[in-house]
Structure formats: structure tokens, C-alpha cells
Amino acid sequence: MGGAPAASGVRVSDTTAMRVSAVYSCVRVIAEDGAKLKPQVWRALPDGSRQPAVDHPLHEILRRPNRHMTPVSLLLAMFSAWGFRGNSIAVILRDRFGNANGLWPVHPGSVTIYEAMDGRLFYAISRRTTLENAILRNVPLMVPDYDIFHVRGMTFDGIVGLSPLAQLREAIGIAIAGEEMSAKLMANGAQPSGVLKHPKVLTKDVADRLSTSWNNRHGGPGNAGKTVVLEEGMEFEQLGMTSVDAQFLEQRKLTIEEIARGFRVPLHMIGMLDRMTNNNVEALTRAYYDQTLMPMLEAFEAEFSRAFNLPDDVYVEFDVRRLLRADFKTRQEGMRTMFQSGALTPNEWRVEEGYNPSPAGRVFARPLNTAYVDEQGAVVAITPPGGKDPADPGAAPKPEDAK
């Protein structure tokens, strides 16, 4: 939890790493994008369709994971841990009958995994707060793996995911050191250190008093630009390299790119827009959805099936339609194509756009130059919604009648 020192000389821990704007932005982007996708429990039907499995206990857990958290806050905590530590861990809470009735996320840094001789895993969880002690009061100190929800990131052994914090320690350390150096430079009025030369030999007390007086008068951003007055033949000689020579801005940009590369987050999503154009932003965003978010969502969906021992016909799926929604014009063109090809009803189109269904919007459209055929190629009549034949007076109007 205290972190390990990097080659730059700074200690990289959870707290210090999250103070780096690039790290905080990458973790936040991943966590918030994942948390806004609502997970739904589905049941597959024999005909190939599906329906919400509202009668399954996991449906209620995802709707109310525990008495202190909403689904969004739970997913924020778990996606943040996955993106930052490579491991997202939660304890499955159970009632007195052993039925699962909740989820409680725990910090990956407070968990130690032990392997039993028979191949089982046990999770030793350090209770960090009074609330956590109260929530886990009925949970043993060594929690068996069947009571643990554990989503691993990239892993070599299948037990513990590799931590981005550890793998990017040097890049994060350079970023921390650069920020500290920049802050100290600003504290010195954007001027590097220097030497005051005096023609005479000064005692230690006089030298200390002179240094303190100089720092008070000319140190810090509030004293930047003040006129320097030197007496008794003193001279000021500047030491070290200037901020231009040090190329702080270029170095910090390179560090941000290294961190974003490690988290697989496009630069425009963390505020670096100098290389962005109208043509590549959409492509980069799609690549982020496909290469960063989708593997994470797939891992969570698979872990829901394992941890809650879901049957083959029940599964969890995140609603990614919000992520895949294009701009209004492109979305409407796609909807129009589906409607005209008979794959979408007007009501389904309206509901997708947030409008209420229309009484006349339950009929599928079909181009006039197409027809449904059977396996032998014969034209077959399709009964419209409502079960009425097209020839009946109460059936939906035919396209030629509408003209």
C-alpha cells in the first residue's frame, strides 16, 4: 500500500499515482464509461430470443448490490480497481440460508490470496474501516473463492492480474518527479537556483541570514519579476538549466503519452487535442470501445457467470448501445435502412430514440419489390401483427391503399 520507489527517486503508491492528472484521467474515463452501462440478466429462450430474467436473484443484486451503494457506485469502484490495479474484487454477501443477496467491493491492496493444497483459493481481506467490519461481520477472515467475485486483468497465472500501477511505475514516477520539479520551479519564481557571490568571507550566521532574506524577497510566484538590488559588490550567478533547456513541456507530454498508452486510452479522451482532427476522433473512440472497454466488459460478464454459477440459459450482458450510438444523422440513416428493409418497426425506432410507441407503429414495412418465399421458392403471405389476414377489413392498410 505504501508503494515502491521508482528510478526517478520518488515513491509510487496508490495515493501519489492518482495525483498525476494523466493517471487520474485514464482511470476515471475507464471507470465512468463502464459504470454508465447497465448490466442486465437475460434468459435465453428455445426459439433463439431472450427475455429479462427478473426472477433470478442476481437481477435484484445488480439493482441494489448492498444497502449503501447504488449499481453505478458499485461499478465505479470495481471498474476503477480493475483499471488501476488489474484486479476487481468483491465479496458475495449471503443471507442466513446461504443465498447470495449482495456484493461488497474491497480494495485489491487489502487482499492476500492463499492457495490450498487441493487447489482452492482463499482471500484474506484486511478490514480497513468500521463500516467494512460491520458489512463483513458474518464473513470469515479467510474467504473461500466461491464467495468472491474476482475479475482479473492481464494475467500470467490466472490467479492475480498484473497491476498497471506496478507495470507503469517508472512512467508514473517520471510524471511525479516532473510535477514536483515544476512546482518547485514555480515556488522559486520560475527561476532555477543560483549563487550569491560576496567579495568578502561571510560567517555561517551571516550567510544563513542572507540566504533566508533572499528567499523571502525573491522566492515564490508572488515575488516573481521583482527588481533585485545587490550591495557591497555582491553578484548573482545562475546555476542549472533553464525551463526551456530542460524542455519540461515536451517531457511532460511524452510522459502523458506513455501513461495513456499503458491504459489504452486515446489522448483526446484525457484532454490532449493537439493531434486530433474531425476525421480521426471518431475512429479513435471506436477503437477505444473495441480494444479497451469491450475486453473489460467481457471479463466482467464471464465472472458473473462463474461467481454466481449461472445456468447455461442465463447470462449477464452490459447494454453497450449508449457507447455505440453514433451522431444523430448517422443514427437516423441506420434506423431508416433497418425500417425500410423490414427489420425494425416504427415503434421500436421511436422507443430507441426515447419516444412513446404509436398505435400505428406496430407493423413492419417491406419494399414493394420484395416478397417472402418458402424453401421451395413459393411466395407466402405474412400475417401482420394482430393476427389478421391482409384481406380482412380490420387488417393494417396495404401500401397501395395508403397511396
Side-chain angles (χ1 to χ4, degrees):
M1 295 294 290
S8 56
V10 298
R11 184 169 292 274
V12 180
S13 64
D14 287 3
T15 303
T16 58
M18 287 298 283
R19 290 175 182 171
V20 178
S21 61
V23 177
Y24 176 81
S25 299
C26 289
V27 176
R28 180 178 179 181
V29 165
I30 294 175
E32 290 184 347
D33 282 344
K36 68 185 180 183
L37 306 177
K38 183 180 179 181
Q40 177 66 53
V41 184
W42 294 95
R43 176 174 285 108
L45 301 179
D47 60 356
S49 62
R50 65 177 185 176
Q51 65 181 13
V54 296
D55 57 336
H56 196 278
L58 184 55
H59 172 81
E60 183 63 24
I61 294 176
L62 293 178
R63 193 184 68 86
R64 186 67 182 271
N66 56 72
R67 67 175 183 268
H68 296 285
M69 289 184 173
T70 64
V72 174
S73 59
L74 172 72
L75 293 177
L76 273 175
M78 302 195 69
F79 286 137
S80 298
W82 187 92
F84 189 53
R85 280 302 197 101
N87 294 273
S88 183
I89 303 175
V91 179
I92 301 176
L93 306 178
R94 300 185 183 275
D95 58 19
R96 58 193 182 95
F97 300 106
N99 300 317
N101 62 357
L103 275 173
W104 181 261
V106 294
H107 194 290
S110 63
V111 179
T112 304
I113 301 178
Y114 292 90
E115 302 176 40
M117 296 298 295
D118 59 359
R120 291 184 299 169
L121 299 178
F122 291 87
Y123 292 70
I125 301 174
S126 299
R127 274 71 163 174
R128 299 177 300 154
T129 63
T130 303
L131 176 61
E132 196 163 72
N133 273 288
I135 295 295
L136 304 180
R137 63 181 181 275
N138 297 325
V139 177
L141 295 179
M142 301 286 287
V143 186
D145 53 4
Y146 54 78
D147 278 340
I148 291 292
F149 180 91
H150 184 184
V151 183
R152 302 162 179 85
M154 181 179 176
T155 177
F156 290 145
D157 57 8
I159 299 176
V160 179
L162 294 179
S163 171
L165 172 65
Q167 305 306 313
L168 301 176
R169 177 178 289 115
E170 299 303 331
I172 297 175
I174 293 175
I176 296 174
E179 289 188 355
E180 291 181 355
M181 192 171 181
S182 299
K184 291 179 179 179
L185 185 65
M186 292 299 105
N188 292 324
Q191 294 292 331
S193 61
V195 174
L196 281 174
K197 292 184 177 181
H198 197 282
K200 298 180 181 180
V201 178
L202 302 178
T203 63
K204 184 179 183 302
D205 293 339
V206 175
D208 292 342
R209 186 168 64 252
L210 181 60
S211 176
T212 303
S213 175
W214 178 272
N215 291 330
N216 292 337
R217 288 175 178 270
H218 305 289
N223 295 323
K226 284 188 176 181
T227 303
V228 179
V229 179
L230 299 177
E231 301 179 276
E232 299 181 356
M234 285 193 302
E235 298 178 1
F236 178 77
E237 180 178 343
Q238 192 175 42
L239 298 179
M241 47 187 165
T242 65
S243 60
V244 177
D245 295 331
Q247 296 182 338
F248 281 149
L249 184 59
E250 289 76 7
Q251 177 62 46
R252 295 193 66 180
K253 283 185 177 180
L254 177 60
T255 304
I256 292 175
E257 292 177 4
E258 290 287 339
I259 294 174
R261 184 182 298 115
F263 285 100
R264 300 180 72 176
V265 174
L267 293 176
H268 74 277
M269 303 191 75
I270 59 176
M272 290 191 66
L273 305 176
D274 51 345
R275 299 182 184 177
M276 299 298 108
T277 65
N278 292 333
N279 296 328
N280 65 3
V281 166
E282 184 175 358
L284 290 174
T285 303
R286 293 284 175 171
Y288 160 73
Y289 292 155
D290 294 338
Q291 301 174 12
T292 303
L293 285 187
M294 293 308 295
M296 178 181 68
L297 299 178
E298 293 283 349
F300 271 79
E301 291 170 355
E303 181 61 15
F304 275 117
S305 297
R306 185 210 66 84
F308 291 92
N309 195 25
L310 299 182
D312 294 339
D313 61 336
V314 177
Y315 60 95
V316 175
E317 186 175 272
F318 286 86
D319 186 2
V320 298
R321 289 178 297 177
R322 295 184 180 181
L323 294 179
L324 302 178
R325 287 171 68 92
D327 60 273
F328 182 80
K329 181 180 179 181
T330 304
R331 191 168 68 249
Q332 298 310 309
E333 290 176 352
M335 291 288 189
R336 185 180 301 108
T337 301
M338 294 185 65
F339 168 71
Q340 293 177 349
S341 62
L344 197 71
T345 66
N347 278 347
E348 291 172 331
W349 187 350
R350 291 177 60 86
V351 170
E352 183 67 21
E353 292 299 321
Y355 300 104
N356 292 329
S358 169
R362 296 179 298 145
V363 180
F364 287 93
R366 183 165 55 88
L368 298 179
N369 60 346
T370 62
Y372 292 101
V373 297
D374 57 17
E375 297 179 355
Q376 287 73 34
V379 178
V380 296
I382 302 299
T383 303
K388 295 184 178 181
D389 187 84
D392 294 343
K398 298 180 181 180
E400 55 270 21
D401 297 337
K403 295 181 181 179

